[in-house]
Amino acid sequence: MDSQTASAERTVRDAPTAATLKPNALGVLGILFFVLSGQAPLTGIAGAAPLSVALGNGSGTPAAYVLAGAVILLFSVGFVAMGRHVVDAGAFYTYIGTGLGRTAGAGSASVALFAYCVIQSAMYGLYGSIVSALVADHTSVDLPWWVYTLVTMAVVQALGAAGIEMGARVLAVFVLAEFSILLVFGLVTLFKGGGPEGLGVADSFSPSAALQGAPGVAIMFAVASMFGFEATAIYGEEAKEPRKTVPRATYLSVVLVTGFFALTSWMLISAYGASRAPAAAGKALASGDSAGFVFAPIAAQFGGWVGDVLPILLATSLFAGILTFHNSANRYLFSLGRDRQLPARLCRLNDRHSPWVAGCVQTVIAVLLVVPFAAAGKDPVLTLFSWFSGLAVLAMMLLYLLTSVSVVVFFRRRRVDSRLWNTLVAPVLGAIGLAGAIWLILANFTTLIGGEASTALWLVLSVPVVLGLGVANERLRRRRTGRPAIR
């Protein structure tokens, strides 16, 4: 290892008292389950697919998932290349800080933490609504959604403190359940030759199908469904052989998620028939039960019992995503505490090597984000879930773009990797694709959040505000201490 590479390495802090997360705790499959749970496959399909089919490019929705996956895969090439030299629980902010400087890194840290906290809070809103309805349907208990949300926050906090292995085991059960039923539906429909109009390959994947209607809306929702794959780098410190495990988990997660969403959406459209699917999705949206567009053909394939099981799996899908983003956010807080951008007590670990103080702070943040919606009597799905999920996607896309630029700058300054494709071409192409995705998100943001233009404006402006606060905090910290945060 040359001196430049050594200076970039962050796997071990040079301070002897520095806190470190538990090494060798996760393999490829463990990290993969965290990624898949963060993307909540059933939630992504039930939430995004009906909107894409009804409001986007109709039967060409599967092609939008393929295109979004291709952009994310290009991004992943540079992301993985830099990950071989920079390993830290801060992931994005460490990558951006290493390539673009401490100030940019500090700003991105604020955006990353913001994104993970708001997406978790969004999921809490939908989760509370679904669980409240499930309990009311099957028992005589009828409690407000926020009661179940607050109880679940305590459960998530306990699981997070119990250690990363415990979280991985819990997520494995939930992810396999939701993933399996959707995958089996897709494969059975595929092998049966599709629905009333056949498989409709050209109807879903031809250029004309991909560009019909409003393809920008479909691509926007497809990109939103990919949220969470970057967790592979967050767990780098806890991975077994991170230089092998993290790249494998990253590429595997992107390919698997892209294939899964493309196949499932294709088979859903085929089950209705390409010419009928947009109308069916529109009808489901108009009825207020968009998930019915997904649940109906699955129930028709396997029997009525599926209609009772899928809402439960949707709830567990959300729980898995909530737990994943709790772990992601508390590792960001842990890393920021370790780098002295936030109070150092955030990097305290319990006897299971879990950042329990950071976890407690993250849970408090979740309470502060959720309680105002409950106190105001707002609909948790139409406001908390819709607003915050769109906001999180916008913030994360900005981080993807900054990371791609940082990768290019890092490898131009430090000649530690001579592979032109990995360090220049793919990151540049990925940055162009991500910039296009951000433009589509901004152009269709009101549709993404399902709200009014004024609400959309305030939500969009919050991202640069959070970025600016992070930059200002770093400058104040440097004036106060005279020490850099990102080494």
Side-chain angles (χ1 to χ4, degrees):
M1 183 185 299
D2 59 32
S3 60
Q4 287 181 315
T5 303
S7 67
E9 290 290 351
R10 300 178 51 81
T11 55
V12 180
R13 302 288 176 175
D14 45 14
T17 58
T20 56
L21 297 168
K22 186 176 182 179
N24 301 315
L26 295 172
V28 172
L29 289 180
I31 296 176
L32 186 61
F33 280 125
F34 275 105
V35 172
L36 293 179
S37 59
Q39 290 169 328
L42 183 56
T43 304
I45 285 294
L51 291 166
S52 295
V53 175
L55 306 176
N57 58 351
S59 62
T61 291
Y65 283 111
V66 173
L67 181 58
V71 171
I72 297 300
L73 192 60
L74 285 171
F75 165 81
S76 299
V77 173
F79 183 66
V80 166
M82 192 167 184
R84 296 181 185 277
H85 305 278
V86 181
V87 180
D88 187 271
F92 279 143
Y93 104 81
T94 310
Y95 287 18
I96 294 169
T98 302
L100 301 182
R102 292 187 298 272
T103 301
S108 66
S110 298
V111 174
L113 184 60
F114 179 66
Y116 286 125
C117 287
V118 295
I119 191 60
Q120 187 202 40
S121 299
M123 287 180 149
Y124 270 128
L126 182 56
Y127 171 85
S129 176
I130 290 172
V131 172
S132 176
L134 281 172
V135 174
D137 288 343
H138 293 88
T139 70
S140 59
V141 178
D142 187 8
L143 295 175
W145 64 272
W146 52 265
V147 173
Y148 300 99
T149 293
L150 293 177
V151 170
T152 302
M153 286 180 182
V155 174
V156 168
Q157 171 62 32
L159 285 173
I164 196 68
E165 299 99 327
M166 178 61 73
R169 294 189 190 104
V170 172
L171 294 176
V173 174
F174 292 154
V175 170
L176 284 174
E178 61 177 302
F179 193 80
S180 296
I181 195 167
L182 290 173
L183 184 61
V184 170
F185 163 75
L187 293 176
V188 169
T189 306
L190 177 65
F191 290 135
K192 281 187 175 181
E197 299 175 12
L199 292 175
V201 177
D203 293 320
S204 290
F205 294 103
S206 67
S208 59
L211 296 174
Q212 68 185 345
V217 173
I219 293 172
M220 175 187 67
F221 283 115
V223 169
S225 299
M226 301 287 176
F227 191 107
F229 85 94
E230 71 287 337
T232 54
I234 292 176
Y235 300 106
E237 287 187 41
E238 297 157 281
K240 300 173 183 176
E241 299 184 89
R243 286 171 183 78
K244 294 180 180 179
T245 301
V246 172
R248 290 171 183 171
T250 302
Y251 288 133
L252 183 59
S253 65
V254 173
V255 172
L256 186 61
V257 168
T258 300
F260 171 80
F261 279 116
L263 173 66
T264 305
S265 61
W266 177 27
M267 289 302 101
L268 283 171
I269 290 168
S270 177
Y272 284 100
S275 64
R276 304 173 186 174
K283 184 178 179 180
L285 290 177
S287 70
D289 181 23
S290 61
F293 174 75
V294 175
F295 292 173
I298 298 177
Q301 185 74 262
F302 300 124
W305 63 271
V306 175
D308 296 324
V309 172
L310 283 174
I312 296 173
L313 287 180
L314 183 57
T316 59
S317 170
L318 286 162
F319 179 84
I322 287 167
L323 179 57
T324 292
F325 290 120
H326 171 80
N327 284 323
S328 296
N330 68 28
R331 277 154 180 76
Y332 260 92
L333 286 167
F334 166 86
S335 188
L336 289 169
R338 189 169 60 180
D339 283 339
R340 301 299 189 267
Q341 287 199 8
L342 292 176
R345 68 188 64 177
L346 287 171
C347 63
R348 290 180 183 173
L349 304 174
N350 61 16
D351 57 359
R352 293 180 179 271
H353 286 264
S354 174
W356 70 276
V357 174
C360 291
V361 171
Q362 199 283 317
T363 299
V364 170
I365 292 173
V367 171
L368 293 176
L369 289 173
V370 169
V371 165
F373 287 86
K378 296 292 186 181
D379 185 295
V381 178
L382 298 180
T383 57
L384 180 57
F385 175 72
S386 297
W387 296 358
F388 277 9
S389 57
L391 179 58
V393 169
L394 177 61
M396 193 56 67
M397 287 300 108
L398 175 61
L399 289 177
Y400 290 172
L401 178 60
L402 290 174
T403 301
S404 290
V405 175
S406 179
V407 168
V408 174
V409 173
F410 174 78
F411 286 111
R412 300 285 70 76
R413 290 177 176 172
R414 299 177 179 177
R415 304 290 179 171
V416 293
D417 192 329
S418 60
R419 297 173 299 172
L420 194 62
W421 167 258
N422 298 70
T423 63
L424 180 62
V425 179
V428 168
L429 292 175
I432 293 172
L434 290 166
I438 291 173
W439 180 82
L440 289 173
I441 289 171
L442 291 173
N444 299 280
F445 196 72
T446 303
T447 301
L448 180 60
I449 66 167
E452 298 178 352
S454 58
T455 302
L457 177 61
W458 283 110
L459 290 173
V460 167
L461 290 177
S462 68
V463 177
V465 168
V466 170
L467 180 68
L469 288 174
V471 169
N473 179 64
E474 165 63 9
R475 288 176 175 171
L476 287 173
R477 190 208 61 77
R478 290 172 65 184
R479 290 174 187 169
R480 186 171 59 250
T481 65
R483 292 165 52 197
I486 299 176
R487 295 185 292 276

